[in-house]
Amino acid sequence: MAARDAQKDESAHRGDGVYFGLMSGTSMDGVDGIAVRFEHGQRPVVLAEAFVGFAQGLREALFSLQQPGENEIERASLAGNALAARYAVCCHELLRAGNLSADEVRAIGAHGQTIRHRPEKGFTVQIQNPALLAELAHIDVIADFRSRDVASGGQGAPLVPAFHATVFGSHEDTRVVCNLGGISNITVLSSTGAVRGFDCGPANALLDLWAERHLGKPYDENGQFAASGNLHQPLLNALLGEPFFEQPPPKSTGRDLFNAQWLDEKLKGFESLTPADVQATLVALTAVSVAREIERHAGDCRAVYVCGGGARNRVLMEALHKALETGGVAGVPVMTTEALGVPPQQVEPLAFAWLAMRCVAREPGNLPAVTGAAGERVLGAIYPR
């Protein structure tokens, strides 16, 4: 018994050290990076953070790969090389900002850019070139976190709830962590220790798309475009008619479903609406779809903590609070994860640094209750420097 406990303790400490986490999400505007120190039994200590934007050409290449097209293999490979170069720049920024040497970093957790997510068909694809990143950064790289979960029958997403549970969970109350990235997802952290999590629907993916189409800007800063319009209830009802919103968890989604073609199809018959009215209705779509899932699966929650790019959108945050009030979860405060000690832009890159640490320690990184996998699995493929 003592030997087994000693072995378990050794395993828990095996991943201690400094890690980088890199996350380029569904919004595809750039890569968020974090340098963090993990020590068993202690809260993660952030040493540095960085953001490196994507050039317009790279963004266009990534957007074009979201749908089938000509010469996909070559275009995906070249985009993966370009991503690795931007990831390497982010790593050098983290080394500089954290006053670190490459030898002090145990591994980089690099998520890559999702271009296909089809767990129902047994695959998910996040392009990048982790071998090239290891060559450029001179640090071990851990990538391809999702495919092992999918191989064991899971959705491969969301993977962040396991991390949320370690840093945000409480035995005193049930709370919800809501990520408003390109896609919205929630993690339900029960006071009993149970964890659930799943994707809710579109968030910045459609909001950014519409802003770029009508403003020529990559996003609607602070929701000003949406605030200038009015919610159109018939359009909102049509958007909410998408069957995904009624699917039970585990479930995950992405640009495979919620893309320009989906939106344009839903807008047929509503051509008289102003672009601002459509944007206001898309804000309501995100807020209502999240609020409905919280009401269904976390009606006893005491607070909702928001992370991701949407946390900076005042209009979206207000819409979420209103949707909860009118949807049967009244009196629940909505705030960012800053209230729990982690700035909202740090949460996802921290999660992938944590997943890299779990891989190094040979500890599982998924939660079968969240993804639907057959069991716990060590996630990630290692590319030595």
Side-chain angles (χ1 to χ4, degrees):
M1 187 72 172
R4 188 183 306 158
D5 289 343
Q7 186 178 29
K8 184 177 180 181
D9 188 60
E10 179 188 351
S11 173
H13 288 274
R14 202 160 48 201
D16 284 359
V18 176
Y19 292 81
F20 287 173
L22 305 179
M23 178 66 187
S24 51
T26 318
S27 296
M28 292 187 285
D29 55 345
V31 55
D32 286 297
I34 204 87
V36 56
R37 184 184 303 278
F38 293 109
E39 292 186 21
H40 180 63
Q42 305 294 320
R43 282 185 66 86
V45 177
V46 173
L47 306 175
E49 63 178 315
F51 175 79
V52 174
F54 292 160
Q56 185 61 26
L58 176 55
R59 293 190 75 229
E60 290 173 357
L62 295 174
F63 274 111
S64 72
L65 288 164
Q66 299 298 309
Q67 298 295 323
E70 185 180 356
N71 203 21
E72 280 185 304
I73 294 176
E74 181 170 343
R75 289 190 294 117
S77 298
L78 292 174
N81 288 348
L83 274 173
R86 298 309 286 164
Y87 287 177
V89 170
C90 191
C91 289
H92 289 307
E93 286 295 310
L94 291 171
L95 290 172
R96 181 190 58 78
N99 194 27
L100 297 163
S101 70
D103 289 339
E104 293 177 90
V105 184
R106 294 202 64 178
I108 301 165
H111 172 262
Q113 192 68 54
T114 300
I115 62 168
R116 292 290 188 282
H117 185 64
R118 300 287 176 79
E120 74 282 2
K121 294 185 176 181
F123 73 93
T124 183
V125 179
Q126 289 73 44
I127 62 166
Q128 58 177 318
N129 188 336
L132 178 58
L133 177 57
E135 189 72 23
L136 295 172
H138 308 292
I139 301 169
D140 289 359
V141 174
I142 301 175
D144 192 22
F145 290 99
R146 300 189 185 276
S147 63
R148 183 61 194 277
D149 186 87
V150 172
S152 63
Q155 292 281 311
L159 295 181
V160 292
F163 172 72
H164 290 165
T166 66
V167 294
F168 298 138
S170 170
H171 293 298
E172 297 178 0
D173 55 39
T174 295
R175 50 185 58 170
V176 169
V177 179
C178 172
N179 177 55
L180 295 176
I183 298 296
S184 65
N185 55 66
I186 62 171
T187 300
V188 181
L189 301 172
S190 171
S191 58
T192 65
V195 181
R196 301 189 72 188
F198 49 89
D199 287 349
C200 302
N204 295 323
L206 295 185
L207 294 172
D208 292 351
L209 181 158
W210 198 250
E212 189 149 25
R213 184 182 291 186
H214 293 280
L215 300 179
K217 298 179 179 179
Y219 60 92
D220 178 13
E221 186 172 359
N222 210 24
Q224 295 177 20
F225 182 32
S228 70
N230 296 298
L231 163 65
H232 191 268
Q233 191 63 47
L235 174 58
L236 177 59
N237 293 340
L239 296 171
L240 287 168
E242 170 59 45
F244 175 83
F245 295 117
E246 298 303 320
Q247 288 179 18
K251 61 178 180 177
S252 59
T253 189
R255 290 184 185 272
D256 300 80
L257 174 60
F258 294 111
N259 51 40
Q261 291 79 6
W262 181 87
L263 180 57
D264 290 340
E265 185 65 29
K266 294 291 186 181
L267 286 173
K268 289 179 179 177
F270 298 98
E271 289 84 359
S272 63
L273 293 181
T274 68
D277 287 348
V278 173
Q279 186 77 348
T281 306
L282 290 175
V283 165
L285 172 66
T286 297
V288 170
S289 58
V290 169
R292 285 183 176 181
E293 297 291 14
I294 291 174
E295 182 179 1
R296 289 167 181 161
H297 302 284
D300 62 336
C301 78
R302 297 295 181 89
V304 176
Y305 299 93
V306 181
C307 57
R312 298 191 295 269
N313 186 326
R314 176 184 55 81
V315 172
L316 180 54
M317 292 287 283
E318 291 173 353
L320 177 56
H321 184 266
K322 180 180 178 181
L324 288 167
E325 287 288 312
T326 59
V329 198
V332 175
V334 177
M335 63 199 85
T336 76
T337 53
E338 186 90 54
L340 297 176
V342 183
Q345 74 276 8
Q346 291 184 0
V347 175
E348 281 208 298
L350 263 174
F352 283 91
W354 182 84
L355 286 167
M357 179 271 291
R358 299 286 288 183
C359 180
V360 168
R362 299 300 187 270
E363 292 289 322
N366 65 335
L367 290 175
V370 169
T371 66
E376 294 183 339
R377 298 291 186 268
V378 177
L379 306 180
I382 302 173
Y383 292 77
R385 60 179 179 176

